[in-house]
Amino acid sequence: METSTEPNVLDNVSFHVNAGEFISIIGPSGSGKSTLFKLITGLEQPTSGEILLNGQHDHNRLGRVGYMPQQDLLMPWRTILKNAALPLELKGVAKNNAHQRVLELLEEFGLKGVEHKYPRDLSGGMKQRVSFLRAVLSGSNILLLDEPFSALDAITRMNMQAWLLEKWEKWKTTILFITHDVEEALFLSDSVFVLSETPVQHLEKINVPLGRPRDFHMIHQPEIIKLKEQLIEQLRWRVTP
């Protein structure tokens, strides 16, 4: 997948993601992470170059990838069932069929029994599960997750990280994950892309030296602690006071 856009944000950037990889993207605020996602989803178009999804170029990329934003964006007037079914309805799936598809997945997503509740009735972690289910129901094998756990408390965040890995290891979807948390990036990912220049002309790729499956104790290995410190220091010097 290659992309290039406005010189003041991304300038002739080229990178490739293998099918089934879990890639985290880190960088200072304003470094182009969200712009990159807007380009991939089709919300914005590059001024030059091209973006390939599953090896194919498509100018109209809207709806071709699953997207989970930082905030859940659930509609407060719709039940959890109807919120989750929204991407299927937008694709023209009959309402009854869309609802049945959601019902089949509720237990797997830890949402069984809350389908008739409203977003206000759910915890932050539960809302993010609904948001993730909605992204999965887009039908794409590519998921873009934009700081989905940043608003959660520490314990809920750890539980959601472990839950996300469990789902990813089962489905082997391709995940691009934006985060400001270096430790989160190292725990979740196969590799980390570092945006450390403005405009971005190169994505530095750091391979994470951890096997799978993973648990939280692995993040305390000496080589991971050293890598974390190096990445934090690298990003710290790129932040304007």
Side-chain angles (χ1 to χ4, degrees):
M1 180 167 54
E2 298 181 353
T3 178
S4 61
T5 184
E6 300 177 10
N8 63 338
V9 183
L10 304 173
D11 185 13
N12 200 32
V13 175
S14 178
F15 67 94
H16 174 80
V17 176
N18 295 317
E21 274 193 295
F22 196 126
I23 302 290
S24 283
I25 302 171
I26 61 174
S29 297
S31 60
K33 301 184 299 296
S34 294
T35 299
L36 194 62
F37 269 23
K38 289 177 182 178
L39 288 165
I40 296 172
T41 59
L43 292 172
E44 292 185 5
Q45 295 297 334
T47 55
S48 64
E50 60 182 0
I51 297 172
L52 306 178
L53 300 179
N54 295 312
Q56 299 180 343
H57 172 70
D58 190 343
H59 183 77
N60 182 16
R61 296 180 300 284
L62 288 173
R64 289 198 57 198
V65 299
Y67 175 60
M68 181 178 172
Q70 181 176 350
Q71 298 176 333
D72 57 72
L73 300 183
L74 300 179
M75 298 177 179
W77 60 89
R78 291 179 70 119
T79 64
I80 299 308
L81 175 62
K82 293 180 179 179
N83 262 292
L86 186 59
L88 295 175
E89 293 178 20
L90 292 175
K91 288 179 176 291
V93 177
K95 184 176 295 187
N96 288 341
N97 292 339
H99 289 182
Q100 182 58 39
R101 175 64 176 145
V102 172
L103 290 171
E104 292 170 355
L105 290 172
L106 286 178
E107 185 170 2
E108 183 170 357
F109 279 78
L111 296 167
K112 188 173 179 62
V114 304
E115 57 267 28
H116 300 303
K117 293 186 177 182
Y118 290 86
R120 64 177 178 270
D121 302 319
L122 270 58
S123 66
M126 294 283 276
K127 290 178 185 178
Q128 289 303 78
R129 291 183 186 221
V130 179
S131 184
F132 188 69
L133 172 56
R134 193 163 59 180
V136 168
L137 287 171
S138 68
S140 176
N141 64 334
I142 303 171
L143 299 179
L144 307 184
L145 312 183
D146 190 351
E147 296 192 74
F149 307 147
S150 61
L152 303 178
D153 64 83
I155 299 301
T156 303
R157 183 170 185 159
M158 290 176 63
N159 289 336
M160 288 301 297
Q161 290 169 355
W163 177 82
L164 175 60
L165 281 186
E166 177 187 341
K167 299 307 172 190
W168 170 77
E169 287 169 356
K170 176 179 180 180
W171 296 329
K172 290 300 180 184
T173 49
T174 302
I175 291 182
L176 295 180
F177 186 99
I178 289 178
T179 180
H180 280 94
D181 187 326
V182 173
E183 186 170 296
E184 179 175 64
L186 293 173
F187 174 65
L188 293 174
S189 312
D190 295 312
S191 300
V192 177
F193 285 162
V194 184
L195 282 68
S196 58
E197 59 185 350
T198 304
V200 177
Q201 297 179 312
H202 170 70
L203 295 181
E204 181 182 1
K205 185 175 183 179
I206 307 295
N207 294 322
V208 179
L210 286 178
R212 296 190 185 276
R214 293 182 184 174
D215 62 58
F216 290 107
H217 298 291
M218 299 170 74
I219 206 70
H220 301 299
Q221 295 179 8
E223 60 181 330
I224 300 301
I225 294 175
K226 182 178 179 180
L227 181 56
K228 174 185 173 181
E229 292 173 347
Q230 290 173 345
L231 288 173
I232 291 175
E233 187 69 10
Q234 181 178 347
L235 294 174
R236 188 173 71 88
W237 285 106
R238 296 292 178 176
V239 177
T240 302

